[in-house]
Amino acid sequence: MTTSLDPVPAQVEQGPAIALVRLIPLGPVDDLSCQVVAANLQALMDLAADILPPFPVLPDAFMEARRQYDAVQLINALARAFPGPTLGLGLIGSDIATPILTYVLGESQLGGRMAVVSTYRLTDAGGRRKLERLVKVSLHEMAHVLGLGHCWQPQCLMRSPRNVAQLDELPMAFCDTCQYEIARRVRNLVREIRSTPDRH
Amino acid sequence: MTPSGLATLVVDDEEAIRESLAAWLIKDGYRVETADSGESAVERLADHLFDIYLVDIKMPGMDGLELLSRIKVRQPDALIIVITAHGTVQTAVDAMKRGANDYICKPFDPEELSLIMERLAATKALRDENVALREQLMDRLDVSLEGIVAQSRAMQNIFATIEEVAPAMTPVLIQGETGVGKELVARALHQDSERSAGPFVALNCGAQSESLLESELFGHERGAFTGALRARRGRLEMASGGTLFLDEIGDISPKMQVSLLRVLEEKRFQRLGGSQWIDTDFRLVSATHRDLVHLIRQGRFREDFFYRINVIRIEIPPLRDRLEDVAPLADHFLERYSRETGKRILGLTQRALGILTAYHWPGNVRELRNVMERAVVLARGQMIGAEELGFLDASGEPCRLGPMSLREMEIAHIQAALDTCGWNVSRAARQLGVDRATLTRKLKRYRLQRP
Ligand SMILES: [Zn+2]
Ligand SMILES: [Zn+2]
């Protein structure tokens, strides 16, 4: 996916590639999903990603009454477990929610470091759209982590989809403005990670 | 609908709810503040107001219902959503009765939250638009009522008359020269009447052919005449419930006078080409610059119609008969045009004001307005001086004296300049834009001598 506004890849001007995102499977998540998400983070956002071994899901984050994981607590746990400037994206097969919402497809710290995406509600009958949806939600949440809010351009992944059907209508691309903003913030992130002495 | 920057206050005693709701709103573009109790929300209100409030109903201390009432007192148009727990619908209903815009049960369905917030943002946008429209309208009215900026005794009397007669339904005839602001008085009558919420429909009868005027007034059915492709409502119909202002009523034909007289008496009429009676109920305000009594004597205006429209008469004197109004009007227009052009102009020099008050103003207030507009455009400094009014005939005398030759005008003009300057020839020459030698030569040629 290239647009006219695609900037110079952040890593080219600054030396050898380093991981900017840790992809963390929370419990069992299939390899293919992880690989496709990682590839798209690299291709569309210039975010090189490392796929980590599965990380145990915190039992504390499970809300007994709602039979769902609390996405906010998962994110907080990930932030504690993986300190440093590198970003993190947790992938989970279970249903997730927040204290105010009955469910979410993904959740993220706006301008923070961590996001979590659930595949639970993304599966469709034939299973063909699941990967595409997973990638869309992952890209959307990681853009939030970079500090981007929702976008009101009709053809932009940063539009806030109200449901899965609307998610399917979104293109697998950001609008020019969002794309530019992502590139700018990724460049800053690269600088920050390089200047951190003890990087993982 | 983008929520761009709407100020939102989230009030909830539970930190997890407060924080995740705030985070959700921020991602959507709202400006968000949070408060952990009704009391601290009230404190926040003392400082500044918000566009949207999200208030938890059940809180220790001041609860959501109480807070809701407090917000409504302080800010009646506040947009408020109350947050309830499942199974407390009755409380939500109470909240709606107390003026909440909506309620939502936690945890919220994400689609529902989006929808409610979008609806609120749309409500807010619509309200803002209405407020903007109303302000625009008031601006326009303000601008159009400016003809009534006046200090003179004559105009004060007119204001008093307007106040006195406006509420009644009685027809009013406004008499005055072109440009004195007859329509403004008509609008003022409408504004002060009990029908101010109804339409104010104006029509200039002088500017149209008889047949056009007829269809403008009465409207027509489809096919009533060649070109009447569709039915059309006339002004008589549109003015129902409000005021019909007919300017230049002295220009309408005796035949049209009869038609109008019938409408005034029967309060109903038929569209051209129509057979249906249409009821109408308007207050007629008419205006003319003509001497209707004179027209009656000439047989060009019907006496019965005259008495029908001339129940109350307001006569607006020409500007030259109320020169005290020139300065406030000039200031008013000056302010308006300097605002419009972005030029910082402080006022008129004494001499400029002298020129304005000496002028005859055949075009009345409208002419003064045009003169000020032009002067502002020409202005180079912070004051409007005589130079900026150079296009205006400074002496004013020629108009009073009636037709003059160019030679006579020049003599009168030079005379006026010399008078203003106390017969200092150099100064008078400067004012006239010629050198001293030229003026001296002219003085000789016209045999002008110091009195
Ligand atoms: Zn989002
Ligand atoms: Zn965008």
Side-chain angles (χ1 to χ4, degrees):
Chain A
M1 171 70 219
T2 52
T3 71
S4 57
L5 265 175
D6 268 356
V8 182
Q11 304 255 354
V12 171
E13 55 178 28
Q14 311 203 19
I18 46 163
L20 303 180
V21 181
R22 295 189 186 98
L23 238 167
I24 311 153
L26 294 167
V29 176
D30 64 290
D31 285 350
L32 181 62
S33 293
C34 293
Q35 279 158 16
V36 170
V37 169
N40 277 286
L41 285 174
Q42 171 75 69
L44 271 88
M45 298 176 76
D46 212 10
L47 284 172
D50 260 355
I51 302 172
L52 268 53
F55 185 77
V57 191
L58 266 125
D60 283 0
F62 191 68
M63 302 180 284
E64 279 295 341
R66 293 171 60 175
R67 321 279 318 147
Q68 291 168 311
Y69 282 92
D70 182 339
V72 178
Q73 287 206 42
L74 288 177
I75 283 174
N76 292 341
L78 284 174
R80 276 195 303 273
F82 300 91
T86 307
L87 310 183
L89 170 61
L91 296 182
I92 188 167
S94 313
D95 200 14
I96 58 175
T98 69
I100 54 154
L101 295 174
T102 50
Y103 73 90
V104 290
L105 304 178
E107 177 68 3
S108 50
Q109 300 173 314
L110 183 68
R113 292 200 307 119
M114 291 293 164
V116 60
V117 173
S118 157
T119 59
Y120 185 81
R121 289 170 191 261
L122 301 181
T123 41
D124 62 329
R128 283 174 303 128
R129 310 210 73 158
K130 183 189 154 193
L131 272 181
E132 185 192 320
R133 289 169 179 169
L134 176 62
V135 169
K136 283 180 179 176
V137 178
S138 300
L139 293 172
H140 179 101
E141 296 305 334
M142 288 317 287
H144 276 322
V145 169
L146 288 173
L148 275 78
H150 285 146
C151 173
W152 300 85
Q153 294 285 326
Q155 293 296 305
C156 179
L157 253 189
M158 284 320 282
R159 246 193 115 88
S160 162
R162 284 221 200 116
N163 48 42
V164 176
Q166 283 189 10
L167 180 69
D168 286 342
E169 283 165 22
L170 289 183
M172 183 81 87
F174 298 97
C175 73
D176 286 354
T177 313
C178 289
Q179 189 77 61
Y180 182 85
E181 201 50 33
I182 288 168
R184 194 174 69 79
R185 291 174 194 241
V186 169
R187 263 202 304 275
N188 291 343
L189 176 68
V190 170
R191 233 168 272 142
E192 193 194 344
I193 291 178
R194 280 183 190 285
S195 65
T196 306
D198 179 28
R199 57 183 196 239
H200 300 263
Chain B
M1 196 71 269
T2 77
S4 57
L6 289 183
T8 309
L9 181 65
V10 175
V11 191
D12 202 311
D13 57 313
E14 274 179 85
E15 189 188 355
I17 302 273
R18 216 162 54 226
E19 292 312 317
S20 49
L21 188 50
W24 189 93
L25 290 165
I26 290 169
K27 279 179 185 166
D28 237 18
Y30 295 89
R31 283 190 290 134
V32 185
E33 288 184 33
T34 57
D36 58 7
S37 68
E39 288 83 357
S40 81
V42 169
E43 264 172 48
R44 204 72 61 83
L45 281 183
D47 199 38
H48 57 283
L49 302 177
F50 298 81
D51 299 309
I52 299 174
Y53 298 82
L54 289 133
V55 176
D56 190 13
I57 287 267
K58 217 174 126 244
M59 290 185 289
M62 184 191 297
D63 70 357
L65 286 180
E66 162 97 48
L67 177 59
L68 170 67
S69 310
R70 300 260 197 129
I71 296 172
K72 279 283 168 184
V73 168
R74 175 106 170 71
Q75 190 187 351
D77 65 344
L79 296 170
I80 305 174
I81 301 178
V82 292
I83 302 168
T84 65
H86 276 289
T88 54
V89 175
Q90 189 48 48
T91 341
V93 171
D94 288 348
M96 298 290 280
K97 277 190 196 146
R98 292 200 199 188
N101 295 76
D102 218 327
Y103 72 93
I104 187 164
C105 300
K106 64 183 168 186
F108 326 134
D109 178 80
E111 281 187 55
E112 198 190 350
L113 181 58
S114 305
L115 241 145
I116 287 182
M117 291 310 292
E118 264 175 47
R119 205 153 56 209
L120 277 199
T123 308
K124 174 78 172 68
L126 192 69
R127 261 192 211 167
D128 288 354
E129 203 176 305
N130 283 340
V131 168
L133 276 176
R134 196 160 49 225
E135 273 168 10
Q136 238 176 52
L137 196 70
M138 292 320 283
D139 271 1
R140 207 173 302 151
L141 278 180
D142 185 36
V143 165
S144 55
L145 284 171
E146 74 199 344
I148 308 191
V149 169
Q151 284 178 352
S152 61
R153 166 63 51 111
M155 288 308 288
Q156 297 300 333
N157 288 341
I158 287 176
F159 295 158
T161 312
I162 290 174
E163 223 170 281
E164 195 183 315
V165 307
M169 280 289 285
T170 335
V172 178
L173 177 66
I174 304 167
Q175 191 118 30
E177 287 182 9
T178 307
V180 288
K182 294 188 287 285
E183 178 165 349
L184 308 179
V185 170
R187 277 185 190 278
L189 283 166
H190 176 69
Q191 285 296 316
D192 287 353
S193 77
E194 276 155 23
R195 318 183 135 220
S196 57
F200 176 86
V201 177
L203 181 65
N204 186 335
C205 304
Q208 351 233 351
S209 72
E210 167 122 18
S211 57
L212 194 61
L213 180 61
E214 196 176 18
S215 87
E216 277 292 337
L217 275 173
F218 291 84
H220 55 72
E221 295 296 346
R222 198 172 143 222
F225 48 83
T226 328
L229 296 178
R230 54 175 67 98
R232 199 168 147 230
R233 298 193 326 139
R235 307 289 168 113
L236 294 176
E237 219 171 322
M238 295 182 210
S240 196
T243 303
L244 177 66
F245 174 59
L246 296 179
D247 202 358
E248 302 304 355
I249 193 96
D251 292 9
I252 66 171
S253 70
K255 177 177 165 260
M256 183 71 80
Q257 292 167 30
V258 177
S259 310
L260 273 176
L261 186 59
R262 264 184 73 186
V263 179
L264 290 175
E265 272 163 6
E266 296 176 8
K267 292 191 193 298
R268 57 177 199 158
F269 68 99
Q270 291 170 322
R271 286 181 184 164
L272 302 186
S275 54
Q276 231 188 351
W277 286 102
I278 296 167
D279 290 327
T280 185
D281 173 29
F282 55 83
R283 192 234 200 115
L284 179 66
V285 176
S286 32
T288 182
H289 69 280
R290 293 180 189 280
D291 180 352
L292 293 182
V293 176
H294 185 68
L295 291 181
I296 291 170
R297 262 187 241 125
Q298 289 182 330
R300 287 165 57 196
F301 207 82
R302 291 181 62 100
E303 205 168 352
D304 49 359
F305 185 56
F306 175 74
Y307 286 119
R308 191 80 212 184
I309 64 172
N310 182 39
V311 180
I312 287 160
R313 173 142 58 173
I314 295 178
E315 244 173 284
I316 310 176
L319 190 53
R320 66 181 161 281
D321 288 348
R322 45 182 175 106
L323 291 172
E324 327 74 297
D325 290 341
V326 169
L329 278 167
D331 283 344
H332 178 83
F333 292 129
L334 190 68
E335 201 238 272
R336 169 174 156 198
Y337 290 119
S338 45
R339 186 164 12 98
E340 271 177 21
T341 55
K343 283 188 175 181
R344 232 175 78 78
I345 293 169
L346 302 175
L348 294 149
T349 63
Q350 203 51 47
R351 258 192 69 205
L353 196 58
I355 290 170
L356 291 180
T357 35
Y359 186 63
H360 182 64
W361 298 114
N364 290 296
V365 181
R366 191 176 298 151
E367 186 181 12
L368 174 58
R369 191 188 67 201
N370 295 340
V371 164
M372 290 317 295
E373 182 178 16
R374 209 167 143 195
V376 168
V377 170
L378 294 175
R380 300 242 183 76
Q382 294 201 321
M383 299 292 283
I384 301 270
E387 314 81 73
E388 278 86 8
L389 298 172
F391 59 91
L392 200 67
D393 176 42
S395 76
E397 285 312 309
C399 297
R400 280 182 198 182
L401 296 175
M404 297 175 104
S405 69
L406 191 59
R407 183 172 177 272
E408 285 171 321
M409 279 179 62
E410 193 179 22
I411 294 170
H413 195 55
I414 292 170
Q415 185 89 52
L418 286 164
D419 287 346
T420 341
C421 304
W423 275 81
N424 180 325
V425 177
S426 301
R427 262 173 54 204
R430 256 201 314 277
Q431 187 189 328
L432 292 164
V434 295
D435 58 32
R436 194 176 190 284
T438 310
L439 182 56
T440 315
R441 214 164 43 240
K442 283 181 187 287
L443 292 183
K444 261 195 204 122
R445 191 195 306 160
Y446 296 140
R447 271 168 262 152
L448 286 170
Q449 278 174 6
R450 193 185 186 111

